[in-house]
Amino acid sequence: MNIEDFGKNLIFLPDATKGAVKFLTTDQLRSTGTQGVVVNTLHLLINLGVEKMEKLGGIKSIMNWEGYVLSDSGGFQVYSLIHSEKWKGGIDENGVTFISPKDGLKHTLTPESAIDIQLAIDSDVLVCLDDCRFSEVSRKEAEISVERTLRWAQRCKKHFEKKILKSKKLLSCVVQGAGYLDLREMCAKELSKMNFDGYNFGGYVVNSEGNLVTDEMEKVIENIPKEKFKYVMGVGKPNDIIKCAEIGYTVFDTVLVTRNARHGSLYSFDEGKETDYLLRIGNSQYAKDEKPIDSTCDCETCKNYSRAYINYLLKIKEPTGYTLATIHNLRFYQRLINSLQ
Ligand SMILES: [Zn+2]
């Protein structure tokens, strides 16, 4: 792993939300060819805590993982939890304050503390705290979100530069602006002046009809530096990754790939692009199918087991079935990404 190369080639990062890819050991994760993972700052903060993370030497040491780790800022999750009134809290110019349901303690996520927590996680790629809103926002609200995102990006960068002396880490920012193309452009241009290592497409990646917001994505790409990595957060389904790679994005992540595996939505090149490579292993037609999930796949699951076996294991909710399905789906995504390089 060379941090300077992050995002130069296409890379897909599965989610290791709380410090593990569900149902996989780190060795099994390596076997899929995965080069990096995304961890969730908020979950690590409230479950593991800063003190413990620092004592144990950070998430890479804890996971025994030598690949890339990208941490999000925690902002997106905490905003959604507050907006949906699942958590108590509030947002103002200083940051986000919330009560953790774990211990009842009050936490404040500011641009500076979001960086500090990510440094305790010891991730390689950090993300600035941004002001994220729901997809359908008024122009006024989108303007406020962009302006605050810019001020917070500046504060994050200043704090990051003060803290980072020797060890090389990357700091990325988030481009907001919702569906307003001129705001997307302005946000991208202003952030470019601040010279980040990477630029992330923020906000919602699909519209209310479930289609990718390609106009917004293109507008952002046109207005950020060519040589920096470009991360489209939360994308996505195989065909969406193909489309975003065509637009110019290089870094992808989604919780779908592992969650779908556990729910029996597997991916197979035998299925083809028209159906987004989806193979629903729970369907009765696979109950006696002796073929592997994907005839072209070289993963542990496809080399050793049949569709019938995976169909059976998932039906009885056997954890080994979740493991084998996850290994296959992660390998599929790596092969998909390799085919697009
Ligand atoms: Zn496979």
Side-chain angles (χ1 to χ4, degrees), residues 2 11 32 38 69 79 95 132 143 185 212-213 216 294 323:
N2 186 351
I11 183 166
T32 64
V38 175
V69 172
Y79 297 142
C132 186
E143 281 171 2
E185 180 176 344
L212 276 186
V213 292
E216 295 167 35
D294 184 328
T323 299

Side-chain angles (χ1 to χ4, degrees), residues 267-268 292-303 305 324-325 327-332 335:
Y267 295 99
S268 173
I293 297 160
D294 184 328
S295 62
T296 63
C297 184
D298 56 356
C299 83
E300 184 191 346
T301 308
C302 291
K303 278 196 294 192
Y305 308 104
L324 293 175
I327 288 174
H328 169 74
N329 267 8
L330 287 183
R331 183 65 192 142
F332 173 90
R335 293 173 66 226

Side-chain angles (χ1 to χ4, degrees), residues 193-206:
K193 287 182 199 162
M194 298 181 208
N195 191 25
F196 286 95
D197 300 304
Y199 292 78
N200 309 338
F201 183 91
Y204 288 79
V205 291
V206 291

Side-chain angles (χ1 to χ4, degrees), residues 65-182:
W65 172 247
E66 64 291 337
Y68 297 113
V69 172
L70 183 148
S71 51
D72 60 18
S73 70
F76 182 80
Q77 281 75 22
V78 83
Y79 297 142
S80 348
L81 289 163
I82 290 174
H83 286 309
S84 61
E85 295 178 353
K86 285 185 184 149
W87 284 18
K88 288 200 179 95
I91 303 158
D92 61 24
E93 184 60 27
N94 187 46
V96 193
T97 304
F98 62 95
I99 310 285
S100 164
K102 283 268 165 197
D103 50 18
L105 293 177
K106 191 162 122 178
H107 295 271
T108 305
L109 206 54
T110 64
E112 291 78 14
S113 74
I115 295 292
D116 288 336
I117 300 162
Q118 293 179 74
L119 291 177
I121 292 171
D122 199 24
S123 49
D124 304 297
V125 185
L126 292 77
V127 176
C128 290
L129 187 70
D130 62 311
D131 184 326
C132 186
R133 306 285 170 121
F134 286 121
S135 56
E136 313 278 324
V137 291
S138 67
R139 182 167 178 99
K140 186 71 212 153
E141 230 186 309
E143 281 171 2
I144 293 169
S145 148
V146 165
E147 282 156 17
R148 186 175 279 164
T149 293
L150 292 174
R151 287 193 296 274
W152 284 2
Q154 192 93 61
R155 281 170 60 182
C156 284
K157 186 144 201 294
K158 198 170 156 199
H159 193 69
F160 176 79
E161 284 171 352
K162 201 161 67 186
K163 288 288 180 92
I164 293 293
L165 299 169
K166 285 193 192 118
S167 71
K168 184 66 188 152
K169 291 181 184 297
L170 305 180
L171 179 63
S172 63
C173 59
V174 183
V175 182
Q176 290 293 353
Y180 304 95
L181 294 183
D182 59 322

